[in-house]
Amino acid sequence: MSKALDHIKILDFTHVQSGPTCTQLLAWMGADVIKVERPGVGDATRKQLVDVEGADSLYFTMLNHNKRSLTLNSKTPEGKEVLERLVKTCDVLVENFAPGALDRMGFSWERIQELNPGMIMASVKGFGPGPYEDCKVYENVAQCAGGSASTTGFRDGLPLVTGAQIGDSGTGLHLAFGICAALIHREKTGRGQRVLAPMQDGVLNLCRVKLRDQQRLKAGPLKEYSQHGEGVPFGEATPRAGNDSGGGQPGRILKCKGWETDPDAYTYFITQAAVWQKICDVIGKPDWKEHPDYATPPARLPHLNEIFGAIEEWTMTQTKYEVMEICNPLDIPVGPILSMKELAEEPSLRATGTIVEVDHPERGPYLSVGCPVKLSDNEVVVERSPLLGEHSEEILGEVLGYSAEEIASLRESGAV
């Protein structure tokens, strides 16, 4: 079965997380991703957070599936020649170097266009053009600069970063989308172009509902926020809202049976207006159906603490799974707080390829996430990450047309 991108060659100059997330997604869709690494060193994450001595770390292996590794010293004349041939041969160059790094290597955008007018050059940066464009950015910095941290956490506590890697992996997702759009555009025009995905921009895109609320503040208090019902005035900026729902239907995380000893014995419960009467029956409050303080969504807003307190009295008598079993047939939106252990052991996620087990020659079997996007005609088989330089000779010979003697000479020169 052919893959959606099996005619595309990616020159992968990325490292750590944001760029490798992007190129791994493209590899899962069939692209031939050639990961270029420094001889003897490779991607820094190969040796970060090592849990199996002598083996590539999970940090590396889980971000570099379905790729080929080529070691290359582009500082040597021979290595620079190999790089030029790669630029001429490949369709997309993806990089997340520090600003100006490619220029210093002699591969400015103008030079790349000379070598390959159809080349798409895709970059991850911390910030877009502006006062901070040369600043170095990591995951948590991006979350803070993109509006996530200021709107995450509880009103009376510190800003918080989220466990979801929305800065790094989120930006990788955005960049992959941009590359696919640029490839389609090239099919129509024959021209390559630059694709830029700043991490701040990506985080802000994922925080759009908070930007929505920033504008709504001009019209008055955000009535669906808990602090409105508590009589706490709003300031000038979108506040932290704890576990309130981001939509117009109030929701909170509530304790379930066993919460005293299980840190994940909780459920998320949404008081959707369409099923309010069913909620009243479930929690034993039938008189709330017609009571003027509870019968309509606007009437309920000042009483959310009382309402969720009553719901929690009921959820504490059920496990988080029992809450699901009772509420789902009634169309009441709830969801269990699932731990990483529970997700790793969930059979349905294994069956759909969302969680996969991969075998590695150095570390043995390990779990990883699989492709989160499913295409009916393009099954994704997750292949292990490459060892450092594992495919150097294969790429030099099959992709670039070097002879065995030329490859030997490149090795002798230290170029690969």
Side-chain angles (χ1 to χ4, degrees):
M1 184 183 294
S2 64
K3 297 289 186 69
L5 298 179
D6 60 8
H7 60 300
I8 300 299
K9 282 187 169 54
I10 310 287
L11 183 54
D12 183 2
F13 268 109
T14 69
H15 56 284
V16 190
Q17 185 178 165
S18 57
T21 297
C22 167
T23 52
Q24 179 169 262
L25 284 167
L26 299 173
W28 280 340
M29 293 300 167
D32 180 10
V33 176
I34 300 170
K35 186 175 180 70
V36 180
E37 301 184 79
R38 285 191 298 160
V41 180
D43 189 317
T45 58
R46 285 185 182 271
K47 301 306 174 189
Q48 285 184 3
L49 306 176
V50 171
D51 60 310
V52 175
E53 197 63 37
D56 289 331
S57 71
L58 287 168
Y59 198 2
F60 176 84
T61 59
M62 294 175 69
L63 286 161
N64 290 281
H65 293 122
N66 296 59
K67 303 178 186 180
R68 298 197 283 178
S69 172
L70 165 70
T71 52
L72 183 66
N73 181 359
S74 60
K75 293 181 180 179
T76 68
E78 297 85 355
K80 190 161 289 188
E81 180 191 338
V82 172
L83 183 51
E84 284 194 2
R85 289 171 73 161
L86 283 166
V87 170
K88 291 177 180 178
T89 303
C90 292
D91 300 282
V92 184
L93 185 155
V94 190
E95 60 90 17
N96 60 342
F97 288 129
L102 271 179
D103 290 359
R104 292 190 293 273
M105 292 167 59
F107 289 89
S108 64
W109 171 235
E110 293 72 23
R111 177 59 178 152
I112 288 171
Q113 283 184 303
E114 288 176 10
L115 294 168
N116 183 352
M119 172 66 80
I120 293 162
M121 178 176 161
S123 304
V124 173
K125 300 300 177 195
F127 295 93
Y132 306 117
E133 60 185 305
D134 293 330
C135 294
K136 198 170 187 177
V137 174
Y138 286 88
E139 168 68 44
N140 288 354
V141 174
Q143 289 194 30
C144 292
S148 174
S150 69
T151 55
T152 302
F154 288 90
R155 187 178 65 250
D156 54 354
L158 291 172
L160 291 177
V161 296
T162 173
Q165 303 293 284
I166 62 174
D168 276 324
S169 288
T171 302
L173 289 164
H174 285 100
L175 188 63
F177 160 75
I179 289 169
C180 289
L183 286 168
I184 294 171
H185 182 262
R186 190 182 69 176
E187 287 182 4
K188 296 188 293 184
T189 66
R191 297 195 309 272
Q193 61 177 301
R194 299 188 72 172
V195 180
L196 175 65
M199 294 172 72
Q200 181 187 43
D201 297 28
V203 172
L204 182 54
N205 182 44
L206 298 174
C207 292
R208 65 181 64 189
V209 298
K210 299 301 182 179
L211 183 60
R212 172 205 68 190
D213 291 348
Q214 178 64 42
Q215 297 168 87
R216 290 174 58 227
L217 274 173
K218 296 177 183 177
L222 306 174
K223 295 181 179 180
E224 80 281 8
Y225 279 49
S226 295
Q227 74 179 74
H228 172 67
E230 296 166 6
V232 178
F234 286 80
E236 295 182 344
T238 307
R240 292 185 280 284
N243 289 316
D244 287 350
S245 171
Q249 308 289 340
R252 292 191 191 175
I253 291 179
L254 304 176
K255 298 172 183 174
C256 291
K257 188 176 183 178
W259 68 272
E260 299 92 342
T261 56
D262 181 354
D264 298 305
Y266 292 84
T267 191
Y268 199 90
F269 198 109
I270 297 177
T271 56
Q272 187 181 23
V275 292
W276 172 246
Q277 295 201 357
K278 294 179 182 178
I279 293 171
C280 293
D281 287 335
V282 166
I283 65 173
K285 296 285 186 180
D287 54 313
W288 280 4
K289 294 180 187 180
E290 307 299 333
H291 194 290
D293 288 343
Y294 310 103
T296 66
R300 289 194 288 273
L301 290 174
H303 305 286
L304 289 179
N305 285 345
E306 179 189 2
I307 290 168
F308 281 110
I311 297 172
E312 189 171 55
E313 286 182 14
W314 174 75
T315 60
M316 288 171 64
T317 67
Q318 312 289 328
T319 69
K320 60 187 179 185
Y321 297 110
E322 289 169 342
V323 171
M324 284 277 286
E325 291 168 5
I326 293 168
C327 291
N328 274 355
L330 301 173
D331 293 325
I332 300 171
V334 296
I337 308 304
L338 296 177
S339 69
M340 281 297 154
K341 182 176 185 296
E342 289 169 312
L343 290 167
E345 296 172 353
E346 172 54 47
S348 65
L349 296 178
R350 303 287 189 100
T352 59
T354 302
I355 297 284
V356 295
E357 185 173 289
V358 184
D359 200 18
H360 191 276
E362 292 178 341
R363 63 177 305 115
Y366 65 94
L367 287 185
S368 185
V369 294
C371 186
V373 179
K374 322 299 189 202
L375 301 183
S376 62
D377 285 353
N378 299 130
E379 181 185 0
V380 175
V381 177
V382 176
E383 300 171 358
R384 68 166 175 84
S385 61
L387 303 177
L388 180 61
E390 180 178 354
H391 304 98
S392 293
E393 293 189 10
E394 180 179 297
I395 293 166
L396 292 169
E398 295 179 7
V399 177
L400 300 181
Y402 282 94
S403 67
E405 292 76 16
E406 288 172 322
I407 293 171
S409 177
L410 287 171
R411 286 205 176 279
E412 189 174 340
S413 70
V416 296

